[in-house]
Amino acid sequence: MPIKLALPKGRLLNQTARLLDNAGWGISGYHQGASSYRLESTRFPELAIKVFHEKDIPVQVAVANYDLGICGRDWIEELLSRYPSSNLVKVKELGYGRSSLLMTASRSAGTAALARLRARPDTVRIASEYPNLAESFAVRLRLRRFSIFPVWGAAEVYPPEGADLALIPVDTEDQLVDYGLLSVSKTLRSSAFLIANKNSWESRDMRQVLTSIYHSLAGSEDATPRSDQVKSPAKKDGSGVGPLAEDTVWLALPDGHQQQPTFDLLTRAGIEIDDYPSPSGNRRPTSKLEGVRIKVIRPQDMPSQVANGNFDLAITGRDWLTEHLYQFPSSPVTELLGLGFGGVKIVAVISKSLVVDSVEDLGKLSREWQLPLRVASEYVNIADKYARDNHLGWYRVVPTWGASEGFLPEDADLLIENTQTGRTISRHNLRIIDRLFESTACLVGSTVAVASPKKRKRIKAIMATLKAAVEA
């Protein structure tokens, strides 16, 4: 049986590739922008190597899908803080990818923010993409009441309006100045780690692979600058919002690949947004819309953030609205206007090697296996409902954080994914067996805000302006 290794995409990719190149592994195709999730080593042809989103790697190693993995300590501790008895061994710190996890508050809260929050009788709101570590921090601090807002990223933009605290990763504390935040506690120092599944570590001979990595580390100096040597790019600091009128409307705009089409729509509507998309990463752009404040957040987070009252309006995808409403059917979030861009199909995908023609055939096959059908997806609630509605029997949803096509066929049997043309799916030797629905960008809003006499006029004016641009 081959040794299985999980390697990271994203922030750690280049330095991990350099480490393995120095170790003489002879891996090709492991670089930013590479389209393959499966890699081969000329030095260790028996290795089965796959590339994952970094956050998925501790989980994949803990459940024994992989024997070894490389990821940041932050994601290891995020898993262990919830599942301390996981079958995970921290083998060796690799010395690169250094960062810190900081609990932060708005600068307007002052240096005594933490002491005041501890004394507060009401709920302290904490935003983070590390919800388990955030909860552990709140428990250790003995906050009387707290609420954790899990987000997909960009937690730094939530204080002070959407959260009292934010647990965020930074390369250097200089970034906090750019975000308009201050550190109230240093929660964790992180760097890249080599990890192993406990059972594999105790039973498999992995000495050659491990020795090559150790020798590579010993023979090279870490070229990663210390965090106190790194200067982050300047960002516009728009965090000092001051007192706001009760009729202020909060609008969330998307980051990522939906920024440009959103900007184009707003431009057609005659709505000028300053510094969006932002070359410096500013997440608080401004506009001439009277009584409107704007933040840039992840589209995945928008429905829940509208539901909990942090925003009145948001431009997101119908897929993420559906994902939210499947989990919270009575949520006060509704689609106000279809915007027509960003069209994708939500589809059910299997490996081309799987001999089935329909989802019904897949259900029959899973019953023959007498094993749980593994359904991988970023859309965990859509995937769960799809499996139930199609009577797939014994199944397990595997949450993913990107690079989802790489899960099939070794780590999942069925994938619920979005696609525009299907070419990426086909390129990874996969095929579509069902189409769930089509998704485009839409304006979503809070039914509470829309019904508010103080905000209704401004919300309806924005809707009318956008509708005219869509129909033009």
Side-chain angles (χ1 to χ4, degrees):
M1 180 184 295
I3 295 172
K4 300 177 72 177
L5 170 67
L7 295 182
K9 291 186 66 175
R11 60 173 181 159
L12 298 181
L13 191 155
N14 289 337
Q15 289 162 302
T16 303
R18 190 179 308 126
L19 171 71
L20 300 180
D21 184 57
N22 291 339
W25 280 31
I27 296 176
S28 61
Y30 185 46
H31 54 80
Q32 299 289 356
S35 59
S36 176
Y37 294 118
R38 292 167 185 81
L39 306 174
E40 294 181 352
S41 164
T42 56
R43 179 174 180 180
F44 300 111
E46 73 279 7
L47 276 179
I49 308 172
K50 193 185 282 190
V51 180
F52 288 92
H53 189 289
E54 187 187 345
K55 187 173 181 178
D56 287 319
I57 291 176
V59 179
Q60 291 297 311
V61 173
V63 300
N65 284 344
Y66 288 81
D67 304 297
L68 297 170
I70 293 176
C71 63
R73 183 188 169 200
D74 49 353
W75 294 118
I76 299 168
E77 300 301 338
E78 170 68 7
L79 175 68
L80 293 177
S81 64
R82 183 170 183 181
Y83 304 106
S85 59
S86 291
N87 285 333
L88 201 64
V89 177
K90 288 184 278 188
V91 177
K92 189 172 182 62
E93 185 175 8
L94 300 177
Y96 59 86
R98 295 189 180 106
S99 63
S100 296
L101 273 186
L102 303 180
M103 187 61 76
T104 63
S106 169
R107 285 192 174 275
S108 62
T111 56
L114 204 53
R116 286 196 294 270
L117 290 173
R118 290 184 67 176
R120 267 177 45 174
D122 58 335
T123 301
V124 176
R125 305 160 300 164
I126 306 175
S128 185
E129 59 184 311
Y130 304 87
N132 300 323
L133 288 173
E135 182 174 355
S136 296
F137 173 87
V139 170
R140 288 197 308 271
L141 195 63
R142 296 186 178 180
L143 294 178
R144 297 182 184 183
R145 297 176 62 188
F146 63 88
S147 178
I148 307 297
F149 294 157
V151 298
W152 284 65
E156 68 273 5
V157 80
Y158 288 91
E161 308 90 357
D164 302 296
L165 299 171
L167 180 62
I168 63 172
V170 296
D171 297 324
T172 163
E173 291 195 29
D174 289 346
Q175 290 175 264
L176 299 185
V177 176
D178 302 326
Y179 297 151
L181 302 175
L182 56 84
S183 173
V184 297
S185 178
K186 185 166 287 186
T187 303
L188 179 73
R189 288 189 181 275
S190 180
S191 63
F193 254 86
L194 177 66
I195 59 175
N197 176 267
K198 183 179 180 181
N199 295 329
S200 299
W201 180 251
E202 294 173 349
S203 64
R204 305 204 62 183
D205 183 0
M206 299 185 285
R207 284 175 295 178
Q208 285 188 316
V209 171
L210 297 174
T211 299
S212 72
I213 294 175
Y214 296 165
H215 285 173
S216 178
L217 289 171
S220 64
E221 295 183 5
D222 178 21
T224 309
R226 298 193 313 271
S227 63
D228 59 3
Q229 296 175 322
V230 179
K231 296 296 182 182
S232 60
K235 299 177 184 178
K236 183 179 291 186
D237 178 11
S239 59
V241 296
L244 297 176
E246 291 184 7
D247 61 349
T248 298
V249 171
W250 281 98
L251 169 64
L253 297 181
D255 63 5
H257 67 278
Q258 292 291 11
Q259 287 188 85
Q260 191 59 50
T262 299
F263 172 80
D264 294 341
L265 173 66
L266 296 172
T267 300
R268 293 201 307 273
I271 300 174
E272 295 182 10
I273 306 293
D274 179 43
D275 202 21
Y276 177 79
S278 173
S280 64
N282 175 34
R283 289 185 175 270
R284 293 173 179 265
T286 59
S287 79
K288 294 181 180 179
L289 288 173
E290 184 180 354
V292 177
R293 293 295 183 106
I294 301 171
K295 287 186 183 181
V296 179
I297 66 172
R298 300 285 170 89
Q300 299 95 319
D301 291 322
M302 289 181 178
S304 62
Q305 293 302 315
V306 170
N308 65 39
N310 284 339
F311 296 92
D312 305 300
L313 298 172
I315 293 177
T316 186
R318 193 171 287 122
D319 49 351
W320 294 114
L321 176 62
T322 303
E323 167 72 5
H324 173 77
L325 291 177
Y326 279 177
Q327 184 176 12
F328 304 107
S330 59
S331 174
V333 182
T334 188
E335 180 177 332
L336 301 176
L337 178 66
L339 301 178
F341 64 82
V344 294
K345 304 175 187 70
I346 310 303
V347 294
V349 178
I350 61 171
S351 169
K352 287 182 179 178
S353 63
L354 203 59
V355 187
V356 297
D357 295 319
S358 66
V359 68
E360 291 82 6
D361 292 343
L362 184 62
K364 293 175 184 176
L365 186 60
S366 70
R367 286 187 283 275
E368 292 176 9
W369 290 339
Q370 295 185 338
L371 292 170
L373 188 75
R374 301 164 301 170
V375 186
S377 186
E378 293 180 87
Y379 306 105
V380 293
N381 298 297
I382 292 174
D384 182 59
K385 187 175 186 301
Y386 182 79
R388 283 186 283 110
D389 289 350
N390 285 279
H391 310 290
L392 292 182
W394 188 16
Y395 68 90
R396 175 166 55 91
V397 175
V398 180
T400 71
W401 297 89
S404 303
E405 299 94 345
F407 278 74
L408 298 181
E410 302 93 343
D411 308 305
D413 308 300
L414 176 66
L415 173 66
I416 304 300
E417 180 65 307
N418 67 67
T419 182
Q420 288 183 310
T421 64
R423 286 195 292 268
T424 300
I425 288 172
S426 180
R427 188 170 67 243
H428 290 287
N429 204 33
L430 309 176
R431 61 189 175 96
I432 297 169
I433 59 168
D434 198 6
R435 187 167 72 179
L436 283 67
F437 61 91
E438 292 190 11
S439 171
T440 56
C442 58
L443 180 71
V444 302
S446 164
T447 55
V448 176
V450 172
S452 166
K454 295 181 179 179
K455 296 188 177 186
R456 184 188 304 130
K457 184 177 179 180
R458 284 201 173 113
I459 289 175
K460 288 191 175 295
I462 293 172
M463 289 174 56
T465 301
L466 292 177
K467 184 177 181 181
V470 170
E471 296 176 349

